Amino acid sequence: MFIKPFKIKSNILVTGSEKKRLRQRVMAQFGRVDEETATSPLAELFGNRAKVCTVKIVTYHEEPVTVYTCDKLPIFFELNGKLLPTVYTLWTCPDLVPAFTTHASVLPKLANGADLMIPGVVKRGTNLASWGRHQKDDVVAVNLTSNRAAVGVGLLAHSSSDLYMCGGHGVCVRMMHVFGDKLWGMEPSVCQQVPLHGSVVSVPTEADFPPLGSEKVKPAEESVKQVTKSMENTSLTAKEEASDSDGSTSDDEPQPPEEEEKPPNPDDLIKGALLNAIKLHGKKIALPMLTSTFYPQYVQPEIPEGIEMKKSSYKKVGTFFKQMAEEGLLEIKEEKKGIEKVTALSLEHPDVLSFYPYKAAKVSTEQDGGGAAASGAASNPLLLTQMTAMFAVNERTAKLFGCFNVALGKTLDQTQVRNYMRDYVGRFKLINPSTKLVTLDETLKEICGTGEELVALPDLTETVLNCMTSTFEMRSQKGAVMKGGKRAVIHLTTATRSGNKKVTLISNLADYGINVNDFAKAVKLGAAASTTMTEVPGSKGEQLLVQGNHIKFVFELLTTTYQVPKACITGLEFAKEQKKKKKK
């Protein structure tokens, strides 16, 4: 149910009386009225110091759901008037609902949206009592044979008697929430992993059973001999270890204790990342540059994994840059409140000259192949998306690309088309060795539609590209995210609200893979203005509204930090004109 992303409509802190009613409702539904004490684990979720919020969300399939959170951690969600606990609640209260056990290999299937089937359930017996005494649509948990902790929550598809009579076929539990889905990761700062609560049942593995057609089982006498021999070997090794330990204790000189390795200092590692960036890219960096662009693009990729700014003494990126400026490694200039730029780098600083670069990192916004793209996406928090011109095979060019098994409607980029054209003229030997021109065959003549028989290869390729259907593809570090014939453009406009107040409206941010919430935070901090999300009828995605005219700041943020091409942004003419200073 929460495999795909959902939209948050509201997040409201509940009052004390509402919290009390919710607590009573939970106790009554799950039969815990007798345990309603302040020390019970379930009651601690609704304690006096706990901040319980009601979050209204809409799932990917447009289903309204109410989620109750405790200190940003989802604990219950309401569906059709019924409360269901999350895995976090079941880890605190393991016996809140009955549990069905399955194999660990089934968990990836559940995480992809599948229901728990009857053949996948591990039972302790084959009679009716092994299914329990449950009714249809009862709330149940799902755990694994290797761990008693719950990994999913769902509703029972049939009653216990019906499950017993199904003959081992059909759905057992309709999964509503699984470990690792979007509800589990609703607040990344408080996400938890599955705790270890002990195994439920020991299930025999394939190693416990000899394969069919293997050697026969050895007689009992031979197995007894092997056991006796292994026991003798064990006793001999024990005697040798005892003699070695006696010899070691007889020495007068005690062995010095080994020194424990101290963990690396995060401050030194982060400063080293800056020195590495200056050493490798200092002469190539185009300055001035916003600190919000300089840090994620050049410094953060050089920081070792597991090291965060929060764990250092700097705590914040702004504090780090100020400290480095005091040491003389760089120069920063504050243009507006909260907007700082790196204006110069000290390449002749003693620390830079004495520093030896530890890796040759490549800073690139283009998509790399294979593991490079994955590592780039992990090191760079910004999802930089680029628009690439694509060309689709149409009916006019289908015969040409059919020789290479390229189907009708498939999109190719400019490089692929050039390679196919080079292979085509080479395969059919159409190049004249004396003039180096291409002799057009019937297929190429139909495409070009000219009476000329000799054409240069670059001109021929350009003609084929013009004959193909022009489209665009949005490519990011995660791959192609969108295809379409229309060019994706971010629109910046201004409007007037009540009281003659100006607001800035930003549309189509999602087309470039930009996280709208993160972008709104950056605008809120940089422009010192409040932001809200609004939905525009008849258009896809949400529109960001910023109080005041901040067209110029948003344009700078998009083109520098998010590296959106200037040609793909409209509305710069609505920017507020700066007043000219009067000459004294």
Side-chain angles (χ1 to χ4, degrees), residues 165-220:
M165 299 298 295
C166 280
H169 301 284
V171 180
C172 178
V173 180
R174 291 184 284 111
M175 302 303 299
M176 298 295 167
H177 164 48
V178 186
F179 166 75
D181 61 6
K182 300 301 180 183
L183 181 62
W184 169 84
M186 184 175 178
E187 182 59 39
S189 61
V190 295
C191 285
Q192 301 175 10
Q193 299 300 320
V194 181
L196 296 176
H197 288 172
S199 60
V200 179
V201 60
S202 59
V203 180
T205 59
E206 295 179 359
D208 298 332
F209 299 95
L212 295 176
S214 61
E215 297 180 357
K216 294 183 180 180
V217 181
K218 297 180 180 180

Side-chain angles (χ1 to χ4, degrees), residues 336-339 520-531 546-550 553-554:
K336 296 180 182 179
K337 186 177 180 181
I339 303 178
K521 283 184 181 179
V523 174
K524 191 174 183 179
L525 294 174
S530 61
T531 59
V546 185
Q547 296 290 339
N549 189 341
H550 299 286
F553 172 78
V554 173

Side-chain angles (χ1 to χ4, degrees), residues 34-255:
D34 299 336
E35 301 178 9
E36 191 174 356
T37 59
T39 57
S40 63
L42 193 59
E44 290 179 358
L45 298 175
F46 305 98
N48 296 330
R49 297 183 179 180
K51 294 182 180 180
V52 180
C53 296
T54 304
V55 184
K56 301 284 186 180
I57 66 173
V58 177
T59 63
Y60 182 81
H61 298 288
E62 302 297 331
E63 297 179 16
V65 179
T66 303
V67 180
Y68 298 99
T69 62
C70 175
D71 296 332
K72 298 183 180 182
L73 199 70
I75 54 175
F76 288 95
F77 62 97
E78 186 176 355
L79 184 65
N80 297 329
K82 181 177 289 188
L83 288 174
L84 284 83
T86 63
V87 290
Y88 295 114
T89 304
L90 294 177
W91 294 342
T92 307
C93 310
D95 300 327
L96 186 63
V97 294
F100 281 73
T101 306
T102 185
H103 299 280
S105 58
V106 181
L107 180 58
K109 307 293 183 183
L110 301 180
N112 288 333
D115 294 328
L116 179 62
M117 309 302 287
I118 294 178
V121 178
V122 179
K123 308 184 303 299
R124 296 182 180 178
T126 57
N127 54 359
L128 178 60
S130 62
W131 291 102
R133 296 180 180 179
H134 311 300
Q135 300 299 323
K136 184 180 179 181
D137 292 334
D138 280 358
V139 181
V140 295
V142 176
N143 56 19
L144 306 177
T145 56
S146 58
N147 192 0
R148 194 181 297 272
V151 295
V153 181
L155 300 176
L156 210 57
H158 306 280
S159 62
S160 297
S161 57
D162 292 341
L163 290 173
Y164 176 70
M165 299 298 295
C166 280
H169 301 284
V171 180
C172 178
V173 180
R174 291 184 284 111
M175 302 303 299
M176 298 295 167
H177 164 48
V178 186
F179 166 75
D181 61 6
K182 300 301 180 183
L183 181 62
W184 169 84
M186 184 175 178
E187 182 59 39
S189 61
V190 295
C191 285
Q192 301 175 10
Q193 299 300 320
V194 181
L196 296 176
H197 288 172
S199 60
V200 179
V201 60
S202 59
V203 180
T205 59
E206 295 179 359
D208 298 332
F209 299 95
L212 295 176
S214 61
E215 297 180 357
K216 294 183 180 180
V217 181
K218 297 180 180 180
E221 293 180 1
E222 189 175 352
S223 61
V224 170
K225 289 180 181 179
Q226 286 187 352
V227 172
T228 308
K229 189 174 180 180
S230 63
M231 293 176 65
E232 291 175 355
N233 293 337
T234 306
S235 61
L236 289 174
T237 53
K239 289 180 181 179
E240 291 176 359
E241 290 177 358
S243 61
D244 293 342
S245 61
D246 293 341
S248 60
T249 53
S250 61
D251 296 337
D252 295 335
E253 298 179 0
Q255 295 181 355

Side-chain angles (χ1 to χ4, degrees), residues 479-490:
V481 294
M482 187 271 290
K483 294 180 182 179
K486 293 184 179 180
R487 185 171 183 169
V489 177
I490 296 178

Side-chain angles (χ1 to χ4, degrees), residues 206-388:
E206 295 179 359
D208 298 332
F209 299 95
L212 295 176
S214 61
E215 297 180 357
K216 294 183 180 180
V217 181
K218 297 180 180 180
E221 293 180 1
E222 189 175 352
S223 61
V224 170
K225 289 180 181 179
Q226 286 187 352
V227 172
T228 308
K229 189 174 180 180
S230 63
M231 293 176 65
E232 291 175 355
N233 293 337
T234 306
S235 61
L236 289 174
T237 53
K239 289 180 181 179
E240 291 176 359
E241 290 177 358
S243 61
D244 293 342
S245 61
D246 293 341
S248 60
T249 53
S250 61
D251 296 337
D252 295 335
E253 298 179 0
Q255 295 181 355
E258 296 182 357
E259 296 182 358
E260 296 182 357
E261 295 183 359
K262 296 182 179 179
N265 189 3
D267 295 358
D268 298 337
L269 294 177
I270 296 174
K271 183 180 178 181
L274 175 63
L275 295 173
N276 197 49
I278 296 175
K279 194 81 171 182
L280 296 175
H281 316 290
K283 297 181 180 179
K284 303 176 184 178
I285 300 175
L287 299 176
M289 181 182 293
L290 289 172
T291 55
S292 57
T293 305
F294 183 85
Y295 179 78
Q297 194 169 353
Y298 291 99
V299 181
Q300 192 166 9
E302 312 294 338
I303 299 177
E305 294 183 2
I307 303 300
E308 299 178 0
M309 184 66 73
K310 295 180 181 179
K311 298 179 181 179
S312 65
S313 62
Y314 306 116
K315 301 299 181 183
K316 294 182 180 180
V317 177
T319 309
F320 167 70
F321 277 115
K322 289 179 181 178
Q323 182 66 29
M324 296 300 104
E326 291 178 1
E327 295 183 11
L329 289 172
L330 47 83
E331 295 179 7
I332 57 175
K333 181 181 178 182
E334 186 175 6
E335 292 191 348
K336 296 180 182 179
K337 186 177 180 181
I339 303 178
E340 295 179 344
K341 285 187 176 182
V342 179
T343 57
L345 298 174
S346 179
L347 302 177
E348 303 298 329
H349 195 276
D351 292 346
V352 177
L353 296 175
S354 61
F355 184 82
Y356 184 78
Y358 50 86
K359 65 175 181 178
K362 292 184 179 180
V363 181
S364 176
T365 58
E366 297 181 357
Q367 180 186 8
D368 296 328
S375 63
S379 62
N380 198 346
L382 303 179
L383 180 59
L384 305 178
T385 309
Q386 291 186 343
M387 182 177 59
T388 306

Side-chain angles (χ1 to χ4, degrees), residues 490-554:
I490 296 178
H491 298 289
L492 306 179
T493 56
T494 57
T496 305
R497 291 293 186 262
S498 60
N500 199 21
K501 293 181 179 179
K502 291 283 186 180
V503 294
T504 303
L505 302 176
I506 310 161
S507 306
N508 300 336
L509 288 173
D511 290 344
Y512 283 86
I514 297 174
N515 190 324
V516 183
N517 293 328
D518 294 343
F519 184 82
K521 283 184 181 179
V523 174
K524 191 174 183 179
L525 294 174
S530 61
T531 59
T532 53
M533 300 300 302
T534 58
E535 291 186 0
V536 181
S539 63
K540 295 181 181 179
E542 293 179 323
Q543 189 180 57
L544 181 64
L545 185 147
V546 185
Q547 296 290 339
N549 189 341
H550 299 286
I551 295 284
K552 193 171 182 181
F553 172 78
V554 173

